[in-house]
Amino acid sequence: MEALAHLAAAESKTVRVDYFALLKEQRGLASENLETRSSTVLELYEELQKRHGFSLKHSSVAVALNDEFADWSEKLTERDKVVFIPPVAGG
Amino acid sequence: MEALAHLAAAESKTVRVDYFALLKEQRGLASENLETRSSTVLELYEELQKRHGFSLKHSSVAVALNDEFADWSEKLTERDKVVFIPPVAGG
Amino acid sequence: MFTLSDTPIDADALKRLVNTQEAGAYVAFEGWVRNHNEGQAVTGLEYEAYEALAVKEGNKIIDEAQKFSILKAHCVHRTGALKIGDMAVMVVVTSAHRKEAFAACEFIIDEIKKRLPIWKRETYVDGSTSWVNCAHNHEAVHETAQASGAKS
Amino acid sequence: MFTLSDTPIDADALKRLVNTQEAGAYVAFEGWVRNHNEGQAVTGLEYEAYEALAVKEGNKIIDEAQKFSILKAHCVHRTGALKIGDMAVMVVVTSAHRKEAFAACEFIIDEIKKRLPIWKRETYVDGSTSWVNCAHNHEAVHETAQASGAKS
């Protein structure tokens, strides 16, 4: 099982990422489809943070997977929609 | 002093009484000037309750003297304005 | 400020009275005439106020609400005949932050209902009428005298 | 019901949505754009929302407010550019008695502010802008994830 999980983690998949607020500014775009070998949404955030210099640590960001709040440990699968949610300020 | 207080209590004075809500209905008028020998507002209420058959006991009524909430033990003086306040129901 | 009104309450005018650029929060309470009370079908009602004391006590309550660090507060209470759905009372409050506006608005309407010499006569579907809180429960300790801190 | 709006909120229309003959109490909250925030003079602001999730989560909050035994509740949140004094959000609630309407209205706005993926960018008098809650305090634990009960 562990060996299989490792294989899955290394597999490449295409996911859609939408950006809002500060992350949209720092990424310079609102949405992109990208290929990644990241296994979880946390790995994906850290990958993108390194690439684009996001100032927010993941501990101050929430994450949604396919328009539902998700845990950082959630696995990514092909065609997932991922949204990283900076600290909110509605109202 | 007690003798004087007793004399004061017995003294006749003219006061104005305004009636509202249930008391106005039971008295059949909104306001009257009346002569009384009652010493306190409580005595006056009991005098009028006996005369007009008010259904509310004084313990469920409040009293105002000259447009301020007052204690039942408050003394009556000439030209005082007295209002007995049935249980309120604003709002 | 507290006022009595024998004509319909203008909600928009009341809101304008508490508007200020420092305000981040606005809380409003409106009391509406319901079509029933304690299981009885109500067809209409009448409010009667002891005006001099009600206005004095109402303004005292508005002043007391300043303890919540609000910006502005206002309350209007109707008198006279009202129909189902009519507005009987409105409280409006503004503050920098919402917590204070909620607390002050609820405080004001709670105290208004407890302390103001205002009475309500309901008319029921069978044509009978009743002064609310007076017909039954004559032994109830009167809240007004207790809450208002009578003279002595 | 919860909705987002990129045009000014119609307070009267919202009030009509919760009107019902059983209602004795109506409580409204409005959030207005203030002319200052944490000591800085604000000249305007913009709200951005992650619409799909904001609407879903907003409606979940309205549903949760039914625990207060209210009659009806509605909330609208603005998106886009707003000026000082503009209404950013409005919550309206009706109930038979006032205590429930106050509790539900405050619950809804508290949860809306905590849980909805909506962001605010303020523009200051010197022309600079800032995403509120993002510029400083990057270490703060994110309230949304904690409050909303994430998937697993």
Side-chain angles (χ1 to χ4, degrees):
Chain A
M1 285 300 285
E2 271 187 31
L4 280 171
H6 181 73
L7 277 175
E11 222 168 73
S12 175
K13 65 223 74 155
T14 303
V15 297
R16 171 179 156 188
V17 182
D18 284 3
Y19 298 99
F20 290 96
L22 185 62
L23 288 174
K24 185 167 73 177
E25 267 184 24
Q26 294 182 339
R27 179 62 189 93
L29 48 76
S31 187
E32 63 181 332
N33 289 295
L34 56 82
E35 265 200 58
T36 180
R37 289 184 181 275
S38 289
S39 168
T40 64
V41 287
L42 176 56
E43 282 176 37
L44 178 63
Y45 186 75
E46 287 173 340
E47 176 190 340
L48 295 169
Q49 185 178 29
K50 197 174 297 175
R51 195 181 309 160
H52 306 298
F54 296 159
S55 61
L56 296 163
K57 298 203 176 176
H58 87 267
S59 56
S60 61
V61 175
V63 63
L65 199 55
N66 304 317
D67 298 337
E68 297 279 0
F69 284 109
D71 276 356
W72 282 108
S73 59
E74 207 87 21
K75 292 272 186 291
L76 282 175
T77 57
E78 183 69 20
R79 289 168 185 265
D80 270 348
K81 175 186 173 188
V82 181
V83 180
F84 301 113
I85 300 172
V88 301
Chain B
M1 284 297 285
E2 270 186 32
L4 280 172
H6 182 73
L7 276 175
E11 223 169 68
S12 174
K13 65 221 75 151
T14 304
V15 297
R16 171 179 155 188
V17 182
D18 285 2
Y19 299 99
F20 290 96
L22 186 62
L23 288 173
K24 185 167 74 178
E25 267 184 24
Q26 294 182 339
R27 178 63 189 93
L29 48 78
S31 187
E32 65 182 331
N33 289 295
L34 57 83
E35 265 201 56
T36 181
R37 286 182 184 276
S38 289
S39 168
T40 64
V41 287
L42 176 56
E43 283 177 35
L44 179 62
Y45 186 75
E46 286 172 340
E47 177 189 339
L48 295 169
Q49 184 178 28
K50 196 174 298 177
R51 198 182 306 161
H52 305 298
F54 296 156
S55 60
L56 297 163
K57 298 206 174 173
H58 86 268
S59 57
S60 61
V61 174
V63 63
L65 199 56
N66 304 317
D67 297 336
E68 299 278 0
F69 285 108
D71 275 357
W72 281 110
S73 59
E74 207 86 19
K75 292 273 187 290
L76 281 176
T77 58
E78 182 70 19
R79 288 167 185 267
D80 270 347
K81 175 186 173 187
V82 181
V83 180
F84 300 114
I85 300 173
V88 300
Chain C
M1 198 184 159
F2 175 84
T3 54
L4 292 169
S5 171
D6 58 4
T7 55
I9 295 170
D10 182 342
D12 290 333
L14 212 59
K15 187 184 193 171
R16 281 193 296 273
L17 282 179
V18 294
N19 200 336
T20 160
Q21 289 214 330
E22 291 79 43
Y26 166 82
V27 174
F29 170 80
E30 299 182 15
W32 296 345
V33 178
R34 284 187 300 157
N35 62 3
H36 61 281
N37 188 19
E38 291 177 12
Q40 290 210 71
V42 173
T43 56
L45 59 77
E46 188 196 333
Y47 281 104
E48 183 171 309
Y50 169 12
E51 186 164 342
L53 186 52
V55 168
K56 198 183 286 187
E57 194 73 6
N59 279 307
K60 202 188 284 184
I61 291 165
I62 298 289
D63 286 348
E64 290 169 14
Q66 295 301 326
K67 70 183 175 191
F68 295 102
S69 302
I70 55 173
L71 291 165
K72 297 188 179 188
H74 207 101
C75 177
V76 178
H77 200 297
R78 275 296 311 274
T79 57
L82 280 79
K83 300 183 306 299
I84 304 299
D86 281 354
M87 201 194 305
V89 59
M90 183 173 191
V91 181
V92 290
V93 178
T94 48
S95 59
H97 302 284
R98 69 188 184 283
K99 198 173 178 334
E100 292 76 12
F102 274 111
C105 189
E106 195 164 10
F107 168 82
I108 290 168
I109 185 61
D110 283 354
E111 296 299 305
I112 293 286
K113 289 179 89 99
K114 257 197 298 210
R115 289 160 54 179
L116 259 54
I118 298 179
W119 300 273
K120 176 160 68 175
R121 184 170 57 179
E122 291 182 337
T123 302
Y124 304 106
V125 71
D126 65 0
S128 67
T129 65
S130 160
W131 288 101
V132 175
N133 295 346
C134 290
H136 316 291
N137 196 24
H138 292 170
E139 299 305 313
V141 173
H142 199 287
E143 284 186 287
T144 305
Q146 306 224 313
S148 66
K151 266 206 271 178
S152 63
Chain D
M1 199 184 158
F2 174 84
T3 53
L4 292 168
S5 171
D6 58 4
T7 55
I9 297 170
D10 182 342
D12 290 333
L14 213 58
K15 186 183 192 170
R16 281 192 296 273
L17 282 179
V18 294
N19 200 336
T20 160
Q21 289 213 332
E22 291 80 42
Y26 165 81
V27 174
F29 170 81
E30 299 182 14
W32 296 346
V33 179
R34 284 187 299 156
N35 61 3
H36 62 280
N37 188 18
E38 293 180 10
Q40 289 210 71
V42 173
T43 56
L45 60 76
E46 189 197 333
Y47 281 104
E48 184 172 310
Y50 169 12
E51 187 163 341
L53 185 52
V55 168
K56 198 182 285 187
E57 192 74 6
N59 279 307
K60 202 188 284 183
I61 291 166
I62 298 289
D63 287 347
E64 289 170 14
Q66 296 301 326
K67 69 183 176 190
F68 295 103
S69 302
I70 56 173
L71 292 165
K72 297 189 179 188
H74 207 102
C75 176
V76 178
H77 200 297
R78 274 300 308 276
T79 56
L82 280 82
K83 298 183 308 298
I84 304 299
D86 281 355
M87 202 194 302
V89 58
M90 183 171 189
V91 181
V92 290
V93 178
T94 48
S95 60
H97 302 285
R98 71 188 183 284
K99 199 171 178 328
E100 291 76 13
F102 274 111
C105 189
E106 195 165 11
F107 168 83
I108 291 168
I109 185 61
D110 283 354
E111 296 299 305
I112 292 286
K113 289 180 88 99
K114 259 197 297 211
R115 291 160 51 180
L116 258 54
I118 298 179
W119 301 273
K120 177 161 65 175
R121 183 170 59 178
E122 292 181 338
T123 302
Y124 305 106
V125 71
D126 65 0
S128 66
T129 65
S130 161
W131 288 100
V132 176
N133 295 347
C134 290
H136 317 290
N137 198 26
H138 294 168
E139 298 305 311
V141 174
H142 198 289
E143 283 186 290
T144 305
Q146 305 226 313
S148 65
K151 267 205 270 181
S152 65

